[in-house]
Structure formats: C-alpha cells, structure tokens
Amino acid sequence: MGVRESAATLRIAALSELTALGGNQSACTRAKNGDSFPAYKFHEGRLAAASELMRNRGDEVTPEVALVALGVRWQAEVERRVNQGPDWRAYAAGGLDAASELMAKHGVE
C-alpha cells in the first residue's frame, strides 16, 4: 500500500471515529455551547493530517519527504498549541499521531 492509500485509510478511520463520537451534534455546536471535546478534536487532527498528505500530489517531493514534512509540521503545531486549551492540544496531538503512524508504517524516521 502506498503513502496516499495509507493516508486515505487513516482518513476513513478518523471520520468513523468523529461520527461515533459526535453523533448528531457537530463540534462547532458543542464549542458554541462552551463544551470542550478533546477526544473529538484528537480525531479531527488525525483527519486533518491525513487529508493534508492526500492533497500533496507528489509532483515536487518523494512520498518519504512528504511524510517527514508532515511530521515536522505537526510537531510544530503541538509546540505552538502547548499553552492553549485542551481542544487545541488534542487537535495538534491527533495530527502528530497520524503523521507518526504513517511514517512508521512506511519506514520513515
């Protein structure tokens, strides 16, 4: 399985988790009500990272370089969000988790 296919599989899994966790209420509605929902935001971050990788057409870089760049970007996001609320920290952690999972699956360090 190639990198894009792995990202697509991860994306489907993240969407499934979001659906299971969110039910009929969107995260935006919960946020407007003042509710924190880190579990949801974690999977939203995973979805965002997988989607980001899928948007990379690979015209300019190899899949390995794209994976490393994804990991670097999401590590920076975790560091940027360290002093923010639990939802933002969970979102960034989810993105980094997805990047790390994809890197490990494809033998990229």
Side-chain angles (χ1 to χ4, degrees):
M1 179 181 300
V3 171
R4 287 178 57 84
E5 292 82 6
S6 294
T9 299
L10 193 151
R11 189 174 184 280
I12 290 167
L15 282 169
S16 177
E17 288 294 329
L18 289 172
T19 301
L21 287 167
N24 293 330
Q25 190 176 38
S26 74
C28 293
T29 300
R30 290 182 70 113
K32 286 178 186 175
N33 291 334
D35 298 335
S36 180
F37 201 0
Y40 186 94
K41 297 302 282 184
F42 178 83
H43 292 289
E44 189 177 50
R46 287 178 53 83
L47 173 65
S51 298
E52 185 178 326
L53 187 61
M54 290 180 66
R55 284 190 300 270
N56 178 349
R57 294 185 15 212
D59 293 342
E60 299 172 12
V61 298
T62 66
E64 293 79 15
V65 170
L67 283 169
V68 169
L70 187 72
V72 167
R73 187 201 120 29
W74 282 95
Q75 179 61 49
E77 188 69 11
V78 165
E79 292 167 11
R80 184 169 82 93
R81 301 292 185 182
V82 72
N83 292 321
Q84 295 184 348
D87 286 346
W88 280 116
R89 291 192 313 269
Y91 176 81
L96 181 58
D97 183 72
S100 297
E101 181 180 323
L102 290 165
M103 290 171 70
K105 181 171 186 152
H106 292 280
V108 176
E109 294 183 25

